[in-house]
Amino acid sequence: MRIVQLNLGGVYNVNIIVWKNQSIAFALQPALYEAFGLTVVEAMTCGLPTFATCHGGPAEIIVNGVSGFHIDPYNGAESSAKLTHFFTKCRGDPAYWNQISQASLQRIYER
């Protein structure tokens, strides 16, 4: 797991968690609120299944459950359940990761 911290002018710090093992990589953007979501766009452009806050710009960028996943940073149980569901589904259906990855790329190129 790698945590990438971006310092945006000393006012905003954003942590993006990128996790990769032999078969699964994803991006997690756990901000409480994100006005636009450039980091989300960058992760999706790389084809990473992306989990991002449902508050702000990412809610308009990601089609929940299709091109990524909305998480509510105020509800840890729900967010962890979505992550668990993703991993479980990837383990049972190896093509699922590619499905989300391709949908995220398509979503970015459509916009």
Side-chain angles (χ1 to χ4, degrees):
M1 179 180 339
R2 183 178 65 160
I3 298 176
V4 180
Q5 183 172 38
L6 306 173
N7 186 334
L8 307 174
V11 178
Y12 300 102
N13 287 320
V14 177
N15 290 322
I16 301 174
I17 299 168
V18 179
W19 185 82
K20 182 181 184 304
N21 71 6
Q22 294 176 346
S23 59
I24 299 175
F26 73 95
L28 172 64
Q29 198 268 10
L32 298 178
Y33 180 84
E34 180 69 36
F36 172 68
L38 182 59
T39 56
V40 171
V41 171
E42 291 171 341
M44 291 173 72
T45 300
C46 292
L48 290 173
T50 303
F51 293 79
T53 183
C54 60
H55 304 288
E60 295 180 24
I61 298 167
I62 294 173
V63 177
N64 190 43
V66 176
S67 61
F69 303 91
H70 297 155
I71 58 169
D72 185 350
Y74 297 102
N75 188 338
E78 178 186 69
S79 297
S80 62
K82 284 188 178 187
L83 286 162
T84 301
H85 176 74
F86 174 74
F87 289 125
T88 302
K89 195 153 182 182
C90 284
R91 184 175 24 180
D93 178 9
Y96 183 64
W97 187 96
N98 287 328
Q99 176 186 333
I100 299 296
S101 175
Q102 289 301 312
S104 69
L105 289 168
Q106 181 179 353
R107 179 75 173 160
I108 293 303
Y109 294 130
E110 286 175 352
R111 304 296 228 144

